[in-house]
């Protein structure tokens, strides 16, 4: 009977962008600081839109096909996968880092392998909404959309920023959807931030060797500029959402006066769609004012439900973990939708300590949704920076999700902010899907 392979072979690169499989080693995975085998059922074919990265100065750790022993691959650099949105990584790539290895840029590094003539990754699809499917973007449609909007709003600095920087330079999926006239429209507004996240994607201090993936907004839009393009979007787009708080800015709550004024003005013109804010949740008092103005939904970003892990990463100015908890409670008290943008890091997120802290956070705040997002950061750099030498016992991301799901059956899982149709309607069906 033909041998059926169930575990992918380890991948390595020649350092020039060429990737090969090593048929003497099965691919493993990493949680926290530990490398080990991955359950066969946790491997899926690399989803469309994913990409493979070679990791300079790092040697892959695999399982010897003959002996079952863990050992290094000395044929080349380690390889990892950047998995596309709507998928959550279950294991980090397993590798050993050499002394002088460069810090890796701000992407996720999911365990990957080769099997059945294809790339495999350790991940699961956590979200059925197709708003950021790679196949859903047509460059010609986007370019004509950009041309149309720039002509329609010639003096609007924000539309110009979204067009030239976000859409055409950073290829931001949310900005591209805006110029196609559908789904979630991004509304960045704040050039400043009151946190100092180690892995900030819009600002990296000079002394760090890695670049921020986007440059931070350099101006403060007016409420008029915001209202001018968001009202037509809410009135015409399918499953419309406008979202304050984007990767190309600081903290939107520092612009609460302008955002409150904009929300009030928007709701004078239309009741359609959802008005959401992606935020670090640092100012519950400002959140209250935004809810009074008409905010429908909040997504608070966090790397952990544990105060000490959160504050070591966010390095907050004049606010604390308790403030972000309070912000979620405030929106719930207004009947709004509440999500956390939960940075998933295998070995940390699924540790027993984190699991207990997350249960407490859900119970305390009445949280409605967890967006299980991949943590885009160099794993060694992150754990080193927060001084975490031992991640403790962990249960596996899949098991943790199941335990949370069993205990909180009303709590929704996903990857994107839900449209009002999904919030008010059938959560399992009322959204953009194939
Ligand atoms: S809250 Fe956002 S903008 Fe502020 S430092 Fe953190 S990642 Fe950067």
């Amino acid at each position: 009977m033909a041998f059926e392979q169930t575990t992918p072979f380890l991948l390595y690169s020649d350092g020039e962008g060429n990737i090969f499989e090593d048929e003497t080693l099965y691919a493993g995975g990493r949680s926290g600081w530990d490398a080990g085998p991955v359950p066969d059922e946790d491997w899926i074919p690399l989803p469309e839109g994913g990409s493979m990265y070679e990791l300079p100065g790092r040697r892959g750790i695999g399982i010897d096909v003959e002996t079952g022993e863990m050992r290094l691959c000395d044929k080349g650099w380690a390889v990892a996968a950047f998995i596309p949105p709507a998928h959550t990584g279950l294991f980090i790539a397993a590798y050993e880092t050499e002394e002088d290895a460069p810090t890796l840029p701000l992407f996720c590094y999911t365990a990957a392998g080769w099997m059945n003539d294809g790339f495999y990754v350790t991940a699961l699809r956590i979200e059925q909404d197709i708003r950021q499917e790679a196949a859903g973007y047509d460059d010609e449609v986007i370019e004509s959309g950009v041309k149309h909007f720039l002509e329609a709003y010639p003096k609007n600095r924000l539309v110009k920023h979204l067009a030239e920087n976000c859409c055409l330079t950073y290829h931001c999926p949310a900005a591209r959807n805006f110029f196609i006239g559908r789904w979630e429209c991004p509304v960045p507004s704040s050039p400043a931030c009151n946190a100092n996240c180690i892995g900030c994607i819009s600002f990296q201090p000079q002394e760090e060797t890695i670049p921020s993936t986007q440059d931070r907004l350099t101006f403060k839009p007016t409420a008029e500029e915001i209202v001018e393009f968001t009202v037509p979007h809410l009135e015409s787009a399918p499953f419309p959402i406008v979202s304050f708080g984007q990767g190309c800015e600081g903290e939107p709550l520092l612009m609460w006066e302008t955002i409150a004024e904009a929300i009030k003005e928007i709701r004078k013109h239309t009741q359609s769609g959802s008005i959401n804010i992606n935020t670090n949740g640092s100012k519950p008092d400002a959140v209250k004012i935004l809810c009074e103005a008409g905010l429908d939904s909040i997504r608070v970003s966090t790397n952990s439900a544990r105060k000490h892990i959160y504050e070591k990463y966010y390095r907050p100015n004049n606010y604390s973990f308790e403030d972000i908890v309070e912000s979620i409670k405030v929106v719930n008290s207004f009947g709004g939708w509440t999500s956390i943008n939960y940075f998933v890091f295998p070995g940390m997120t699924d540790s027993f300590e984190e699991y207990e802290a997350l249960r407490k956070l859900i119970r305390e705040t009445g949280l409605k949704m967890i967006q299980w997002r991949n943590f885009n950061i160099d794993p060694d750099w992150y754990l080193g920076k927060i001084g975490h030498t031992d991640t403790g016992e962990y249960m596996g991301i899949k098991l943790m999700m199941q335990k949370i799901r069993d205990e909180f059956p009303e709590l929704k899982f996903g990857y994107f902010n839900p449209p009002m149709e999904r919030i008010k309607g059938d959560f399992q069906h009322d959204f953009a899907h194939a």
Side-chain angles (χ1 to χ4, degrees):
M1 194 171 79
F3 161 69
E4 199 224 338
Q5 184 181 359
T6 57
T7 307
F9 291 125
L10 178 138
L11 294 163
Y12 66 93
S13 95
D14 61 3
E16 285 159 17
N18 304 307
I19 292 176
F20 308 88
E21 77 274 19
D22 179 344
E23 296 197 358
T24 71
L25 285 167
Y26 288 129
R30 168 181 167 176
S31 291
W33 289 108
D34 307 333
V38 169
D40 286 347
E41 65 274 15
D42 286 1
W43 293 100
I44 63 169
L46 175 72
E48 192 182 347
S51 34
M52 308 305 288
Y53 292 156
E54 59 183 16
L55 311 181
R58 293 155 175 89
R59 301 281 179 202
I61 299 171
I63 300 135
D64 188 291
V65 168
E66 301 303 327
T67 65
E69 298 296 309
M70 302 284 293
R71 66 174 170 80
L72 284 183
C73 168
D74 52 14
K75 297 180 179 170
W77 295 139
V79 167
F82 178 78
I83 53 177
H87 298 81
T88 305
L90 302 173
F91 291 87
I92 302 164
Y95 54 79
E96 189 170 279
T97 305
E98 295 176 353
E99 197 63 32
D100 54 356
T103 302
L104 298 171
L106 298 170
F107 299 111
C108 68
Y109 299 97
T110 299
W114 181 261
M115 181 167 66
N116 307 333
D117 295 330
F119 290 117
Y120 276 67
V121 292
T122 59
L124 57 81
R125 185 166 184 132
I126 194 72
E127 170 69 77
Q128 298 311 316
D129 185 318
I130 59 161
R131 82 180 65 166
Q132 295 193 7
E133 293 301 275
Y137 292 107
D138 179 324
D139 288 339
E140 273 178 39
V141 174
I142 292 167
E143 273 145 34
S144 75
V146 165
K147 188 166 174 299
H148 163 71
F149 278 84
L150 287 175
E151 283 162 7
Y153 307 106
K155 294 198 172 41
N156 193 310
R157 297 172 299 165
L158 205 41
V159 171
K160 188 171 183 316
H161 166 76
L162 288 169
E164 293 170 2
N165 298 333
C166 306
C167 182
L168 300 179
T169 307
Y170 308 143
H171 296 289
C172 165
R176 299 173 93 193
N177 282 332
F178 167 56
F179 289 106
I180 297 174
R182 64 187 185 186
W183 308 329
E184 187 169 12
C185 162
V187 186
S189 61
S190 178
C193 189
N194 57 354
N196 306 285
C197 298
I198 292 166
C200 178
I201 56 176
S202 66
F203 176 77
Q204 281 293 320
Q206 290 268 325
E207 63 272 17
E208 294 301 345
T209 58
I210 54 166
S212 56
T213 38
Q214 284 101 267
D215 296 331
R216 217 172 255 180
L217 197 66
T218 56
F219 63 93
K220 292 181 176 182
T222 62
E224 291 72 26
E225 281 176 310
I226 292 170
V227 173
E228 190 182 27
F229 67 92
T230 49
V231 167
H233 181 81
L234 288 169
E235 289 180 328
S236 61
F239 301 111
I241 306 171
V242 295
S243 274
F244 296 96
Q246 298 296 325
C248 59
E249 64 173 306
E251 173 48 42
L253 290 176
L254 300 185
M255 289 285 289
W256 64 268
E257 291 99 335
T258 301
I259 295 177
E261 188 188 337
I263 295 176
K264 278 187 207 143
E265 195 56 29
I266 290 170
R267 286 310 185 207
K268 278 189 199 145
H269 291 86
T270 178
Q271 293 311 312
S272 172
S274 173
I275 301 179
N276 171 68
I277 189 167
N278 303 319
T279 170
N280 64 18
S282 53
K283 300 170 72 67
D285 49 350
V287 170
K288 183 168 178 293
I289 293 166
L290 297 183
C291 288
E292 287 157 354
L295 184 75
D296 300 300
S297 160
I298 192 171
R299 182 180 75 187
V300 172
S301 294
T302 186
N303 63 318
S304 176
R306 291 172 281 175
K307 176 179 173 65
H308 67 291
I309 303 285
Y310 174 89
E311 293 181 356
K312 278 183 188 160
Y313 176 75
Y314 274 74
R315 303 183 291 194
N317 297 342
N318 305 321
Y319 80 91
S320 70
F321 181 74
E322 287 75 11
D323 291 310
I324 79 165
V325 173
E326 189 54 31
S327 289
I328 299 171
K329 288 181 184 173
V330 166
V331 176
N332 260 328
S333 69
F334 279 83
W337 186 263
T338 52
S339 302
I340 55 170
N341 185 17
Y342 200 35
F343 306 156
V344 174
F345 190 103
M348 290 288 286
T349 306
D350 54 329
S351 72
F352 288 93
E353 240 190 58
E354 179 72 18
Y355 167 63
E356 292 307 331
L358 182 62
R359 294 173 69 204
K360 179 169 175 289
L361 179 75
I362 297 165
R363 276 196 304 271
E364 230 183 81
T365 62
L367 188 70
K368 296 202 173 72
M369 182 180 191
I370 298 178
Q371 297 182 21
W372 300 85
R373 315 274 292 204
N374 301 304
F375 205 167
N376 287 340
I377 198 163
D378 176 326
D380 299 348
W381 187 60
Y382 171 61
L383 293 175
K385 283 272 189 180
I386 64 171
H388 226 62
T389 51
D390 173 11
T391 49
E393 293 294 304
Y394 47 84
M395 66 183 81
I397 299 289
K398 259 188 180 173
L399 176 57
M400 179 175 173
M401 286 179 173
Q402 194 53 54
K403 289 166 76 70
I404 295 288
R405 220 189 257 289
D406 295 346
E407 182 176 358
F408 304 100
E410 294 313 307
L411 180 71
K412 305 303 184 209
F413 286 6
Y415 205 90
F416 303 124
N417 296 309
M420 199 52 88
E421 292 85 347
R422 204 175 189 186
I423 291 173
K424 296 268 190 259
D426 172 349
F427 194 90
Q428 298 313 326
H429 295 94
D430 291 340
F431 55 88
H433 44 68

